[in-house]
Amino acid sequence: MTPQLDSDGRLRHLLTLDGLPRDTLCRLIDRAGQIRDAALGRTPRRQVLDGTTICTLFFEPSTRTRSSFHIAAQRLGADVLNFDASTSSTRKGETARDTLRNLEAMGVRGFIVRHADDGAVAALAAEAGEGTALINAGDGRSAHPTQGLLDVLTIRQAKGADFSRLKILMVGDVNHSRVARSDLHALRTLGAGEIRVCGPTSLLPDDGTLAGCATGQDFDAMLDGVDVVMMLRLQRERMEEGLVSSLEDYHRDYGLTTTRLKRAAKDAVVLHPGPINRGVEITDEVADGPQSLVLRQVSNGVAIRMAVLEMLLG
């Protein structure tokens, strides 16, 4: 039994994809696919969570993830409370645990939590009362499980359910990326045939995160014949920290262009978790081109988050 599963193996919280049973992962992406196929956004609201109050409890900034969860919860009929720690009682010294307990006392049943510290969401989940569910919306470098789920859903829609025949390349700053870690957990669980990871040595972890992956620094060589290219966002502070010499050098060595993309399989698809640094990780022509699934990822994000909320609280 993992902390996010109850004694019967049912999902109580969604904290990480690491160790999440394959059956549970597949049920989530299957359900999200059904929601997506039902023309999400053009159907009447489903009242599965009517009368349920959900809080987006964000201790670090976010626009895309918070908005996606907000829309997902509303489409299920929930009442949504947006809690911004930068303007809240936490600024006066209240602990995250006390904040959680106070909101529970007001009748909040679901918490979507984003935090800068590794393990912070799991620590809060350990304090949650019976019947309260927490969803990790990104913590530190460790996990962003709904992003991992929406990414594998997007790949499955484009390439089919048999991940064992796929060659998948992840490019960029894996060391500081919670998205990369959740993607790797999901891809391993689904039995991806080959996972390649490419980036500057300074941006690749050396702690076992990449166990079983083929790694390298030659982007052109690593692109050869891959079916899926997963680009990661480069945070500009990495240049300030001296981990990247310049944005121009990074783009020269690791930026995805239409010319480079031709090295991949003819029907290869491109993913990026956003927000995109155009002209750094990826060019406009690729980001907006026919092989890009970036907007499909965004759309799938709402469907995945609806499926997660439905499973936990429905």
Side-chain angles (χ1 to χ4, degrees), residues 2-312:
T2 66
Q4 61 188 354
L5 302 176
D6 66 17
S7 58
D8 296 319
R10 292 188 297 263
L11 196 66
R12 182 185 174 194
H13 308 290
L14 182 62
L15 308 175
T16 178
L17 300 184
D18 189 12
L20 189 72
R22 180 187 174 101
D23 177 65
T24 302
L25 190 153
C26 288
R27 281 192 290 120
L28 285 168
I29 60 177
D30 285 345
R31 179 62 187 135
Q34 292 169 357
I35 293 170
R36 182 68 170 77
D37 291 343
L40 183 64
R42 295 193 295 275
T43 54
R45 291 187 179 185
R46 303 172 63 254
Q47 301 303 305
V48 173
L49 298 184
D50 184 33
T52 300
T53 302
I54 293 170
C55 177
T56 57
L57 184 58
F58 279 51
F59 294 92
E60 68 172 10
S62 169
T63 299
R64 184 186 310 241
T65 300
R66 186 199 285 267
S67 298
S68 181
F69 269 113
H70 192 115
I71 292 169
Q74 285 189 320
R75 285 188 174 149
L76 292 171
D79 297 316
V80 184
L81 170 67
N82 287 320
F83 183 99
D84 185 352
S86 67
T87 58
S88 74
S89 52
T90 59
R91 297 279 291 185
K92 302 175 185 176
E94 182 174 270
T95 66
R97 175 184 179 275
D98 285 338
T99 297
L100 175 77
R101 287 289 179 82
N102 278 295
L103 291 169
E104 279 185 306
M106 297 178 197
V108 178
R109 283 191 58 210
F111 292 86
I112 299 156
V113 185
R114 186 165 209 151
H115 203 286
D117 296 339
D118 291 328
V121 186
L124 280 176
E127 300 286 347
E130 189 68 29
T132 297
L134 271 74
I135 300 170
N136 185 353
D139 67 329
R141 303 179 184 181
S142 61
H144 195 346
T146 56
Q147 182 70 45
L149 290 169
L150 74 90
D151 285 347
V152 293
L153 171 61
T154 304
I155 293 170
R156 191 176 75 167
Q157 289 168 337
K159 296 295 180 182
D162 185 4
F163 277 66
S164 67
R165 63 181 183 82
L166 297 180
K167 297 177 181 178
I168 299 171
L169 173 62
M170 184 178 292
V171 185
D173 184 5
V174 177
N175 193 36
H176 301 92
S177 176
R178 52 194 172 206
V179 171
R181 286 171 173 79
S182 287
D183 282 341
L184 289 169
H185 295 151
L187 291 170
R188 287 176 179 134
T189 297
L190 294 173
E194 183 179 347
I195 304 174
R196 304 176 188 176
V197 177
C198 181
T201 303
S202 60
L203 298 181
L204 297 184
D206 57 4
D207 59 0
T209 298
L210 303 181
C213 301
T215 63
Q217 283 68 56
D218 187 336
F219 188 18
D220 293 312
M222 297 288 277
L223 272 165
D224 185 40
V226 298
D227 304 292
V228 180
V229 186
M230 306 180 78
M231 304 301 295
L232 298 173
R233 183 168 68 94
L234 178 71
Q235 296 177 333
R236 292 174 185 259
E237 54 263 40
R238 304 307 164 218
M239 189 174 70
E240 297 170 6
E241 294 167 358
L243 299 177
V244 176
S245 57
S246 71
L247 297 180
E248 293 76 17
D249 287 350
Y250 184 87
H251 180 70
R252 180 196 65 212
D253 295 336
Y254 299 104
L256 187 60
T257 64
T258 53
T259 300
R260 273 200 164 123
L261 187 54
K262 291 176 182 177
R263 294 176 176 270
K266 186 177 181 180
D267 60 348
V269 294
V270 177
L271 283 72
H272 191 299
I276 296 171
N277 291 311
R278 291 173 179 261
V280 180
E281 307 109 11
I282 192 169
T283 62
D284 290 343
E285 293 77 14
V286 175
D288 302 325
Q291 291 168 271
S292 171
L293 299 181
V294 172
L295 292 180
R296 173 60 71 97
Q297 289 173 270
V298 175
S299 180
N300 282 340
V302 176
I304 279 289
R305 285 152 185 149
M306 286 179 70
V308 169
L309 288 167
E310 188 180 77
M311 182 178 287
L312 287 171

